[in-house]
Amino acid sequence: MNLHLKKNLAIGIAIASLFGCGGGSDQTSIAGAGATAAANSMAKNADPANIDESQADSDTVTKTALTNYVNPFVGTADSAAPATDPVPAGARGGTFPGATTPFGMVQWTPMTPSNGGQDQPVGYIYKENTIIGFPLTQMSGSGCSGNQGELPIMPTFDTSSVGVNAKPNFDHKNEAAKPGYYQVTLNDGINTELTATTRTGFGRFTFPAQSAIASTNKTPYLVFDATRTNTIASTTGVIKTEGKDALSGSTVGGKFCGARTYTLYFYAKFDRDITATISNGKANVTFDASKKPAVLMKIGLSYVSSDNAKKNLEQELPHWNFNAVRNAASHAWNKRLKTIQVSGGTDVEKRKFYTALYHSMLSPNTNSDVNGDYLGFDQKTHKVQDGRTQYVNYSNWDIYRSLIPLNSMLFPKETSDMLQSLVNDADQCGAIPRWTPVNVDAGIMPGDSGVATVGGGYAFGATNFDAKKALDYMTLVGSKADVQCTGDHVRDSVDRMNDYLVHGYAAMDNGWWAGSLTFEFGTADFATSQLAKALGDNMNYQLFLSRSANWKNQYNSAQKQLLPRYRNGSWLLNPQPNADMVEGNAEQYTWMSAYDARGLFNLVGCNTAAITRLDAFFQNLNAGMNLPNFYMGNEPSFATPWLYNWSGAPWRTQKVVRDVVNTVFSDGPGGLPGNDDLGAVSSWYVWAAIGLYPEVQAVSGLTIGSPMFDKVVIHWADGSKKLVIRASGAGTNSPYIQTLALNGKALDMPWLWLKDLKDNAKLDFTLAASQSQWGQDSSSSMPSFGLDGFTSLADALNNHGIGTDGQKTTRGLEGYTYDMGGWSYSSQALAAAGATPGASVSFNGISFTWPDGKSGLDNMVSQGQTITLAKAQAAGTLAILGSSTNASSAPSGKLTITYTDNTQASFDLRFDDWTLGGGSAKVGSYNKIALTSAHRVDQNGNTDSTKAYVYYWDAQLDKQRQVKSITLPYQTDNGALMHVFAMQLK
C-alpha cells in the first residue's frame, strides 16, 4: 500500500466520524474509501502470477491485487535521476494521478499551478500544494502546451479563490490515488473523490457537516470554468442549465504545439437540485448539502455535441452508485494489468512494473461516442464502423518504438482500432498523421512516425484493420515530395522530402533538425517495406527496403559517426544537439538504425569496435541531449542498450538494461527519467522488466535481455493461451543469462520470433550475478535487414526508372521515377536505342541482359548492396551499365570485389549525370556512352526533348582469383545517386 493511501486511511475514518455518512448505501464516501484501502493492503502479498482467474472476478481482495501495485503519482515530480541536459519539458514525467479507465476519453485529474507555464508539462506537479481545478481531460507526459486539461471543476466555499487566484489548499498526506480513483481532502475540509467510465466522470464532493458550514456562514459551491484549460489562459466557453439538476455546455480546447482548436462538449447531472450563477462561460453552482453532504455529480463528454455527451452519460452511467463505478474502474484496470502477471522480485520492483504497465494504457484515447459519432480531421461528423472505436492522441514519434508493439501484442483488438483510426484520419486529411492530438495532425517531431506506428502495430498482432489501404497511404507519403494532413507536411516539408528522394538524405541546407530526418524517414521506409512484404507487394518491399538504407548516406567514415550533410555532399562535422539533430546529438543518433545493426557495426569497425564504443556510451544512463551518452529519458536512445546482442556480447545488454531499471526508474513521484510521452518511457520499462524488447521496428520478433522476476505469465488475447517465463536465480543484481530454453529446447541466440511465443509457450532462463558467455557466437545469426542477401542483380533491383510515353506512372508519384524527382527514361526511346526489356545489349564486346521490368523495378540505386554470386567466377573485367541522377558532377563511390580467398579489391565506381546536366556537360574519361535515349518522360507520361544516356564503366580484375561477391558503394562523395541497370563479369 503506497504512502498516500496508508496515511489517508486514518484521516478518512476521522472525517467519516466527524461528518457522518450522509445516508444511503452509496453515501459511505470516506469510510468506503478507507475500507477499500484496507482491503487493498491485505491483498498486497498476493502473488499476481498465481491469481485464480475465477477468484479475480468475484473476490475483492484478489480483484484489486494488481492495482494495489500501481502508484499513479510516479512521474509527477522531477526525476530522481535527472538528465544533465533534459529535452524541453523533460525534467518531469508529466503524468497525472487522476481517475480514468484504460484508453479512456475522460481523464479527470487535479491541476496545479505551473509558474506561468514555465514548469512543463503543465498539469499536476507534485511539488505544488495548490489545486486550481479538476479538469476532465489530460495528456500523460506530453511535452507541449495545449495538453488538454479542459473544463476544470472546483469544489470551494470561496469562488474568488478558484483558478489563478487559488492559494495553497491541500497537503499530499490528505491525498490518495489508485487506478480509476482519486481522492483529496482540501484544507477547507471538502473531500473530493473522482472516478470514471470511458466517456464519463463521476465526482463525490463531501462538504463538512451543515453545523460547521452554518457557524462560519459558508456556502458550498462547485465552480465550472469553460474559459480556461491547462495552458490556455482564456478561451471560449458556454454553460447553460438543463432543468433543475443539470448543466450542459462546451469549451474550446486544443492548440497542442500550435495545432488548431476543437470543441469539447459536456452534460453534467447532479443528485439534487442546483442553483447556477452563470456568467461568460463560468458557472458557480450551489445546492443544499445540509442533509446529504456528499454531493454527487456525474458528467459525460463528447467532441461532437452536448446531446451526445448526454447520451454517453445515460448509457455508461445511468445510476448514482459511486462505489460501484469506482469498483468497476478498478476491475477494468485489474483485468488489463492481469495480462502480465509477475511473481518474485521485491515489492518496489512490482510497483515500478505495474505502474509502468498502467501508464502504458493511458493513451491513445477513445474519441467516438456511444452511438459511433466522432469528429473527423475534416471537421465533419463521422460514424465509426460497428464494433469499432475511434481513437485520438498519438504521440507517434514517441510511441512507435515500444508502446505500440506492446499494446499490439497484449491488446490486438483495441490497437487494431487505433490503427484503423489512423487510416480513417488519412481518409479525411490525405495521409496518416504523424503526431495527433484531438482530430488534427500537430505536425511536430521529425520524420513520418505515423507510418512506423502502423507498421509496428501490424507486426506485433494488431492486424484487424484496412492494412492494404494503410500501405497505400504509406507508399504515397514515401514517394511524393509533398503530402499534407490538415495543412501540415507529413514529412516535414517539400524541400526536405525532395532532398531525401533525390539525394537519399535530407540535407542540412534545410536548417533546424534536418540532420536527424534521414534516420526517421529511413525507419518509416523500413516499416513500409515490412508491411508491403507481409501483404505480398514485392515491388514496394524491395523499393522501400532499399530506401531504408539511406541512413548510410550520412555515415562519415572519418569520424565514424552519423552526421548531417549538405546537398553538395559536404559534411557538418560538429552538429549542435537539439538544433541540427532533434533532441539529441550525433553519437546518440549513430546507434538509431537498429534494423540494420550488422551493417552499422561493419561501418564502425565490426563487433569489437562497436563494443568499445557502446561501453563508453553507457557510462551515463540518462545523459540528456548534449553529452555523447545514453539518454533513457528520450526516445531515440531506446533501442541502443539491446544492440550488444548483435555484437557477440549479449551479457552487456543484460547488465546495462538491468542497471537502467535499477537506477534510473523508481516507485516514487520522481520515478521516471523524463517526460513519459503518453506512455512511451513506461512501456520501455515493461519490456525491460520481462526481458524482451521489440528492437527491430515492424518486424515481429523480440531480442532478449533478462527478466527481473522469478516468473512472468503473459496472457494472450484469445484468453486461453499464454507465455510463461521462468527465471531461476532472478534477482535485482542477477541479470546474466547462463542458459535459456524455449519449450524445453536450448537457445543460444538472443532473439525470438513472436510466432513461436503466441501459442502456449515456455521460456526458461537460468540467471546469475556473474556474466557468462551465453549467446557469444550468435552475432552473425541475429536478424539484420541490410542490403546484403542478394545472389544476382535482378534480386537487388529497387527503382522504377523506365516510363512509357503517354502513360502515368504509379499514382503519378515522384518516388516511382528514375531521378525520384519526376523524370524517367522513355521505354520507347530506349528501344529505339537498342535496349528492350529482357533482351541483350552489347557494348565494348560485352553482352548485358537488360532488365525486363516485370517486377515493376528496372534498375538499382547503389546503396551498399552486396551481391554474392550463386557460383564463384574468375574474370578479368567487371563491366556495369548505369548513370547518376541530380549530379552537378560525376559522383564517385567505393565498389569492392571480394574473392573466394577473402582478399578484396576496391575501385572508384563513377557515372556521369544521366542527362549530362541537361546537355551542358561532357562525358568523363571514366565512362563511355552505351545508349542514347532521344527524350525523357515524366511521371504523368509527358515527354520532353532532353537526351538521356546510359554509360559503360569497367574495372580490371585479377583473373587468377574467383569473384565471390560484389559490394556496391553505400554513398557517393557529392551526394548524388548512382544507378545500375546491368552488370557483367567477363
Side-chain angles (χ1 to χ4, degrees):
M1 180 164 61
N2 69 44
L3 181 63
H4 308 288
L5 273 176
K6 188 178 291 184
K7 290 185 176 180
N8 187 67
L9 177 59
I11 296 169
I13 294 173
I15 293 175
S17 62
L18 178 62
F19 300 133
C21 296
S25 62
D26 190 50
Q27 299 302 322
T28 57
S29 57
I30 309 303
T36 303
N40 288 348
S41 69
M42 291 166 57
K44 179 176 180 179
N45 294 318
D47 185 344
N50 295 316
I51 291 175
D52 181 273
E53 293 298 311
S54 60
Q55 275 188 319
D57 287 335
S58 60
D59 178 40
T60 301
V61 174
T62 52
K63 182 172 69 175
T64 57
L66 300 188
T67 53
N68 189 60
Y69 288 111
V70 176
N71 178 8
F73 292 98
V74 169
T76 60
D78 286 358
S79 174
T84 304
D85 178 40
V87 299
R92 178 169 50 85
T95 56
F96 64 88
T100 188
T101 55
F103 312 117
M105 178 187 292
V106 168
Q107 299 192 323
W108 199 358
T109 188
M111 175 171 59
T112 61
S114 61
N115 296 325
Q118 295 303 305
D119 289 340
Q120 294 282 350
V122 172
Y124 178 91
I125 303 172
Y126 195 81
K127 68 181 180 182
E128 299 290 341
N129 58 2
T130 303
I131 292 175
I132 59 177
F134 296 91
L136 271 295
T137 61
Q138 180 67 44
M139 286 188 196
S140 182
S142 58
C144 249
S145 60
N147 61 343
Q148 299 194 294
E150 290 115 5
L151 194 64
I153 298 171
M154 188 69 188
T156 187
F157 292 118
D158 179 7
T159 58
S160 67
S161 67
V162 173
V164 295
N165 298 319
K167 299 294 189 291
N169 58 11
F170 84 108
D171 191 304
H172 290 300
K173 69 183 181 182
N174 298 325
E175 184 184 38
K178 299 291 289 182
Y181 175 74
Y182 172 83
Q183 177 271 329
V184 64
T185 300
L186 300 173
N187 294 347
D188 58 12
I190 302 173
N191 187 59
T192 295
E193 296 173 274
L194 309 176
T195 190
T197 69
T198 299
R199 300 171 180 85
T200 77
F202 200 167
R204 182 161 62 187
F205 306 94
T206 304
F207 292 85
Q210 181 62 23
S211 58
I213 296 175
S215 65
T216 55
N217 196 29
K218 292 180 177 179
T219 300
Y221 291 95
L222 276 182
V223 177
F224 286 64
D225 192 345
T227 69
R228 63 182 173 92
T229 74
N230 275 357
T231 57
I232 304 177
S234 178
T235 189
T236 302
V238 176
I239 301 176
K240 63 179 181 179
T241 57
E242 297 281 354
K244 297 180 179 180
D245 60 356
L247 298 173
S248 67
S250 64
T251 184
V252 175
K255 293 187 179 180
F256 182 80
C257 278
R260 72 185 178 201
T261 61
Y262 51 78
T263 301
L264 176 69
Y265 299 90
F266 71 91
Y267 183 89
K269 193 171 183 65
F270 291 79
D271 68 339
R272 65 200 68 197
D273 290 349
I274 61 171
T275 300
T277 304
I278 300 173
S279 176
N280 298 320
K282 295 181 182 179
N284 295 332
V285 181
T286 61
F287 27 71
D288 181 2
S290 59
K291 295 181 180 179
K292 293 175 22 177
V295 177
L296 300 179
M297 188 273 291
K298 54 187 182 180
I299 184 168
L301 300 184
S302 168
Y303 292 89
V304 174
S305 68
S306 294
D307 285 343
N308 273 19
K310 183 178 181 181
K311 291 175 183 176
N312 290 340
L313 183 63
E314 290 173 341
Q315 180 164 321
E316 290 192 1
L317 191 46
H319 59 78
W320 288 99
N321 191 330
F322 181 92
N323 289 344
V325 176
R326 174 188 171 179
N327 289 339
S330 178
H331 179 66
W333 278 113
N334 195 61
K335 182 178 179 180
R336 299 285 181 168
L337 295 171
K338 283 194 304 181
T339 305
I340 305 180
Q341 293 171 293
V342 304
S343 60
T346 67
D347 280 352
V348 169
E349 288 168 338
K350 288 192 183 84
R351 284 195 292 272
K352 289 161 66 176
F353 177 79
Y354 281 111
T355 301
L357 185 57
Y358 166 80
H359 280 146
S360 299
M361 293 183 272
L362 294 177
S363 295
N365 302 100
T366 298
N367 188 244
S368 53
D369 296 325
V370 292
N371 62 2
D373 288 351
Y374 71 95
L375 186 68
F377 271 51
D378 55 3
Q379 299 297 280
K380 298 177 181 177
T381 299
H382 298 263
K383 193 174 288 290
V384 75
Q385 292 175 295
D386 287 347
R388 287 195 182 270
T389 300
Q390 183 75 11
Y391 291 90
V392 293
N393 293 337
Y394 300 75
S395 63
N396 285 318
W397 188 81
D398 311 294
I399 66 175
Y400 79 74
R401 309 164 201 258
S402 293
L403 186 137
I404 285 296
L406 179 68
N407 285 341
S408 298
M409 185 178 78
L410 299 179
F411 313 117
K413 179 183 184 301
E414 292 81 354
T415 314
S416 290
D417 281 3
M418 293 171 190
L419 302 185
Q420 184 61 47
S421 296
L422 291 174
V423 175
N424 295 342
D425 299 340
D427 286 342
Q428 297 151 19
C429 79
I432 296 171
R434 56 181 163 138
W435 211 120
T436 67
V438 178
N439 303 323
V440 68
D441 188 354
I444 57 170
M445 305 312 295
D448 187 9
S449 48
V451 163
T453 290
V454 172
Y458 187 94
F460 278 82
T463 58
N464 185 24
F465 68 103
D466 193 339
K468 177 60 172 66
K469 182 181 281 189
L471 181 61
D472 286 344
Y473 282 119
M474 292 159 77
T475 57
L476 167 71
V477 75
S479 292
K480 189 172 177 61
D482 188 25
V483 177
Q484 296 185 21
C485 170
T486 54
D488 283 292
H489 306 278
V490 176
R491 287 209 177 183
D492 286 271
S493 74
V494 60
D495 289 337
R496 296 183 182 208
M497 185 55 185
N498 183 70
D499 275 353
Y500 181 75
L501 286 172
V502 304
H503 292 286
Y505 60 92
M508 268 308 300
D509 304 68
N510 291 302
W512 193 57
W513 283 4
S516 53
L517 284 175
T518 298
F519 318 128
E520 296 288 352
F521 289 171
T523 297
D525 287 342
F526 183 75
T528 300
S529 78
Q530 296 307 297
L531 184 59
K533 182 179 182 181
L535 298 181
D537 184 345
N538 193 63
M539 183 187 79
N540 279 310
Y541 164 63
Q542 289 186 226
L543 187 151
F544 281 93
L545 180 65
S546 74
R547 289 187 193 165
S548 74
N550 280 338
W551 63 269
K552 294 181 181 179
N553 287 320
Q554 287 190 217
Y555 181 79
N556 183 282
S557 58
Q559 277 189 211
K560 295 188 180 300
Q561 217 172 26
L562 290 168
L563 296 172
R565 294 181 80 181
Y566 294 93
R567 290 188 187 118
N568 64 7
S570 63
W571 298 87
L572 179 62
L573 298 179
N574 295 294
Q576 293 300 305
N578 198 33
D580 302 322
M581 308 181 91
V582 63
E583 295 188 354
N585 56 63
E587 186 65 6
Q588 290 167 352
Y589 273 96
T590 292
W591 304 106
M592 186 176 140
S593 300
Y595 52 82
D596 188 11
R598 187 159 54 243
L600 175 61
F601 285 10
N602 286 340
L603 289 179
V604 301
C606 295
N607 290 350
T608 300
I611 291 170
T612 300
R613 184 107 159 247
L614 287 169
D615 286 348
F617 189 71
F618 289 110
Q619 292 303 302
N620 189 330
L621 299 180
N622 199 29
M625 296 182 292
N626 284 313
L627 296 176
N629 300 105
F630 179 65
Y631 183 14
M632 183 62 248
N634 206 33
E635 287 73 18
S637 288
F638 274 13
T640 310
W642 312 85
L643 284 178
Y644 283 117
N645 284 344
W646 277 257
S647 75
W651 54 90
R652 282 176 156 88
T653 281
Q654 297 152 27
K655 177 65 162 61
V656 166
V657 172
R658 187 62 57 86
D659 286 346
V660 172
V661 300
N662 284 346
T663 64
V664 179
F665 292 84
S666 64
D667 66 339
L672 291 178
N675 60 303
D676 204 23
D677 284 319
L678 282 70
V681 176
S682 290
S683 64
W684 186 95
Y685 185 93
V686 173
W687 286 112
I690 65 175
L692 303 170
Y693 192 73
E695 181 78 348
V696 183
Q697 182 60 35
V699 171
S700 56
L702 297 164
T703 197
I704 297 172
S706 59
M708 292 174 57
F709 301 99
D710 298 339
K711 183 180 178 183
V712 178
V713 180
I714 299 176
H715 297 272
W716 301 125
D718 67 357
S720 62
K721 297 175 182 177
K722 60 189 177 184
L723 167 64
V724 178
I725 302 171
R726 297 184 185 273
S728 174
T732 301
N733 296 305
S734 183
Y736 295 110
I737 298 174
Q738 311 296 305
T739 64
L740 176 60
L742 173 62
N743 297 329
K745 183 178 179 180
L747 295 177
D748 195 37
M749 182 174 73
W751 179 267
L752 292 161
W753 293 103
L754 191 59
K755 64 181 176 60
D756 295 327
L757 305 178
K758 292 297 288 284
D759 205 333
N760 282 315
K762 294 181 180 180
L763 269 177
D764 289 295
F765 289 80
T766 304
L767 303 180
S770 58
Q771 73 180 48
S772 78
Q773 304 302 301
W774 177 87
Q776 66 175 339
D777 298 324
S778 63
S779 61
S780 62
S781 302
M782 292 289 285
S784 186
F785 297 84
L787 305 180
D788 56 1
F790 307 109
T791 58
S792 69
L793 178 62
D795 294 335
L797 298 179
N798 59 37
N799 177 261
H800 178 80
I802 302 173
T804 302
D805 298 357
Q807 182 175 313
K808 189 175 183 178
T809 191
T810 305
R811 288 182 287 175
L813 302 179
E814 296 96 326
Y816 294 100
T817 61
Y818 187 65
D819 67 356
M820 285 183 273
W823 289 96
S824 295
Y825 289 95
S826 160
S827 59
Q828 290 92 331
L830 283 174
T836 57
S840 294
V841 174
S842 294
F843 186 80
N844 204 34
I846 298 177
S847 179
F848 300 87
T849 300
W850 193 252
D852 62 22
K854 291 180 180 178
S855 68
L857 304 169
D858 49 44
N859 71 94
M860 179 188 70
V861 177
S862 177
Q863 293 173 296
Q865 294 89 343
T866 293
I867 299 172
T868 301
L869 305 182
K871 183 178 181 180
Q873 179 179 344
T877 301
L878 170 66
I880 300 178
L881 298 182
S883 65
S884 293
T885 52
N886 301 291
S888 57
S889 61
S892 178
K894 290 294 181 182
L895 179 147
T896 301
I897 296 292
T898 301
Y899 296 105
T900 53
D901 61 3
N902 289 323
T903 60
Q904 293 184 326
S906 293
F907 304 91
D908 288 326
L909 178 63
R910 197 172 186 188
F911 283 126
D912 279 309
D913 182 78
W914 70 311
T915 68
L916 289 175
S920 62
K922 295 182 178 180
V923 180
S925 59
Y926 38 80
N927 285 162
K928 296 177 182 178
I929 296 176
L931 296 166
T932 300
S933 170
H935 63 268
R936 301 180 305 172
V937 60
D938 73 7
Q939 65 209 61
N940 295 310
N942 303 311
T943 61
D944 71 357
S945 59
T946 301
K947 291 182 179 180
Y949 306 93
V950 177
Y951 306 105
Y952 169 92
W953 174 93
D954 65 19
Q956 301 309 303
L957 308 183
D958 184 346
K959 294 181 181 180
Q960 305 306 311
R961 292 186 172 94
Q962 290 192 320
V963 176
K964 181 172 69 174
S965 64
I966 303 164
T967 301
L968 280 295
Y970 66 84
Q971 65 178 220
T972 65
D973 58 345
N974 67 1
L977 297 182
M978 287 195 288
H979 302 245
V980 173
F981 281 100
M983 183 163 57
Q984 189 67 41
L985 287 167
K986 182 178 179 181

